[in-house]
Amino acid sequence: MAVPPVGRSAVGRIRTAIGALAVALVATGAVAVPADTAEAAGSRSGKVVYLTFDDGPSPAYTPRILSILQRYGVHATFFELGENVAAHPSVTAQVARQGHSVQNHSWSHPDLRRLSGGSFGTQVGSTDRAIRRQTGRTPTCLRPPYGAVNSTVRSRAAALGKQVVLWSVDPADWSRPGTAAIRSRVLGNVRPGSVVLLHDGGGDRSQTAAALPGILSTLKARGYGFATLC
């Protein structure tokens, strides 16, 4: 059976309904994104995207990504591993010096759900201290490795003064699907308030770095601005 074409007014109504549904899902907690994202999606009039980078710092790729961000005048949030901060302290200092936010991604990337309370505290506390030595600031946000979170992780994080921060757009750049795939997955899924998960450490991140200029230039052309999460 032939389906009649959808007019522009109908398309607009559909987009509005989808946007309202997305805000409702965030508000009810059905979508696991941070409170800052809910605020951006629901109550801010501007179009804001939050770029985040995990698993650094990396002496090979973090400076390259920093250079690209600086070229476009964009600030991002870096969720760093304590063991990498200890190994490459000057890179973490550079991230902070250029105005980016440096936050906690644990010490050695374990599944935090599987840890005892003492081990959880060590993973987070040791990373806090390593980051504070290089930035002068204690992280206020925690991104659990793998996005592995439950009520125990949330309550332990809160007891340490941490907000648990996840994401809403994941191009799976860690799997190295190709520069074009990373770029198209981000651009095809970003909405106002989106939190984009990218990686500057944990392996070869050359594809992520190569995709970044196209992502930034296109989003800017679409009228988006950028902000840090924490």
Side-chain angles (χ1 to χ4, degrees):
M1 183 178 76
V3 178
V6 178
R8 289 187 179 179
S9 60
V11 171
R13 289 194 297 272
I14 291 169
R15 286 177 176 168
T16 299
I18 290 172
L21 175 60
V23 171
L25 288 172
V26 170
T28 59
V31 176
V33 295
D36 286 31
T37 305
E39 179 185 354
S43 63
R44 294 180 185 176
S45 59
K47 295 167 67 175
V48 179
V49 173
Y50 302 92
L51 292 182
T52 66
F53 294 88
D54 281 15
D55 296 352
S58 159
Y61 299 106
T62 304
R64 188 185 308 183
I65 287 170
L66 289 175
S67 177
I68 296 167
L69 293 173
Q70 186 174 44
R71 187 191 321 158
Y72 286 88
V74 169
H75 289 116
T77 305
F78 287 75
F79 289 93
E80 298 193 340
L81 295 174
E83 63 182 9
N84 287 344
V85 177
H88 312 292
S90 64
V91 183
T92 294
Q94 182 183 1
V95 174
R97 191 166 58 248
Q98 293 188 7
H100 305 284
S101 176
V102 182
Q103 299 297 324
N104 197 311
H105 195 39
S106 80
W107 183 265
S108 58
H109 212 277
D111 184 336
L112 297 180
R113 298 171 302 179
R114 301 179 180 275
L115 300 185
S116 67
S119 295
F120 184 101
T122 298
Q123 283 280 332
V124 175
S126 296
T127 303
D128 273 355
R129 289 188 290 275
I131 290 173
R132 186 167 56 243
R133 280 194 291 269
Q134 303 308 319
T135 69
R137 296 184 177 182
T138 300
T140 58
C141 290
L142 171 67
R143 173 167 283 172
Y146 315 106
V149 64
N150 58 17
S151 59
T152 300
V153 169
R154 290 187 183 280
S155 63
R156 287 174 175 172
L160 295 173
K162 298 284 185 286
Q163 177 186 3
V164 172
V165 174
L166 300 178
W167 55 85
S168 57
V169 177
D170 180 6
D173 67 321
W174 59 268
S175 66
R176 304 184 68 240
T179 298
I182 295 169
R183 184 172 57 246
S184 65
R185 290 172 184 177
V186 172
L187 295 176
N189 290 284
V190 158
R191 302 292 183 270
S194 287
V195 179
V196 181
L197 171 64
L198 296 167
H199 294 78
D200 64 319
D204 182 348
R205 302 304 173 213
S206 56
Q207 292 180 1
T208 301
L212 195 54
I215 291 170
L216 297 179
S217 61
T218 301
L219 289 178
K220 284 200 161 195
R222 292 178 182 176
Y224 281 96
F226 301 85
T228 58
L229 274 172
C230 310

